Amino acid sequence: MRHALALILCLLAAPVAAVQPDEILDDPVLEERARDISAGLRCLVCRNESIDESHADLARDLRLLVRERLVAGDSDEEVVDFVVDRYGEYVLLNPLTSGSNLVLWLAGPGMLLLAGALGWGYVRRRATSETVGAAKLSEDEEARLRQILDK
């Protein structure tokens, strides 16, 4: 039981372990703001981890940069804008839904609607079309067919 509890506690503490003790700010309010900001910024090395969870050197540099900007008096938006200006929109874990990104956000649902319309049209056209090549059998062919089936 103790081992299971220790394992659970280690797994819960794993994401917090990336922020090193020397990075933590003395002011708990600023530290909480830094954690909120860094949870929304992507590690450019790990790709799908926030800089708060990543152990990469670049993630550490970004965490320190965020804390420096907060200590300098920047607002949360100013800090995020500074990092985006420096590293590009890719650094955001939740990309913006404006500008050229709007095309990317709408492409998925648009393609789904287009595929649904094409599929619906194909099924509808196939259901209403006459069967091609379904000619009646001649009397000789019917007799031959009966003979084959009777065997």
Side-chain angles (χ1 to χ4, degrees):
M1 181 68 174
R2 288 183 184 170
H3 297 295
L5 183 60
L7 179 64
I8 290 171
L9 289 175
C10 287
L11 290 175
L12 290 175
V16 178
V19 177
Q20 298 172 7
D22 62 333
E23 297 175 19
I24 297 175
L25 296 173
D26 293 333
D27 184 2
V29 175
L30 282 180
E31 181 61 29
E32 183 63 31
R33 285 177 56 201
R35 294 285 177 110
D36 289 341
I37 293 170
S38 61
L41 297 176
R42 178 189 321 265
C43 174
L44 299 172
V45 175
C46 306
R47 307 273 171 123
N48 284 329
E49 283 186 354
S50 71
I51 62 170
D52 214 18
E53 299 168 341
S54 175
H55 293 284
D57 291 336
L58 181 60
R60 175 181 163 76
D61 293 343
L62 285 171
R63 287 192 302 266
L64 291 173
L65 176 68
V66 166
R67 284 165 173 77
E68 284 175 16
R69 301 302 302 178
L70 288 174
V71 169
D74 287 357
S75 69
D76 294 359
E77 294 80 21
E78 289 173 334
V79 172
V80 171
D81 289 342
F82 180 81
V83 173
V84 168
D85 287 343
R86 198 167 190 187
Y87 295 99
E89 274 187 44
Y90 182 74
V91 78
L92 297 175
L93 277 174
N94 295 321
L96 302 174
T97 56
S98 62
S100 61
N101 285 344
L102 188 60
V103 173
L104 296 174
W105 279 99
L106 296 177
M111 291 294 188
L112 181 65
L113 290 174
L114 179 64
L118 289 173
W120 180 77
Y122 174 77
V123 169
R124 184 167 168 88
R125 187 180 43 215
R126 186 170 176 171
T128 59
S129 68
E130 293 182 23
T131 308
V132 177
K136 288 212 161 231
L137 297 176
S138 67
E139 289 181 23
D140 291 337
E141 291 171 335
E142 284 184 24
R144 177 73 179 134
L145 181 60
R146 269 188 249 116
Q147 182 185 17
I148 292 173
L149 292 175
D150 287 340
K151 286 187 180 178

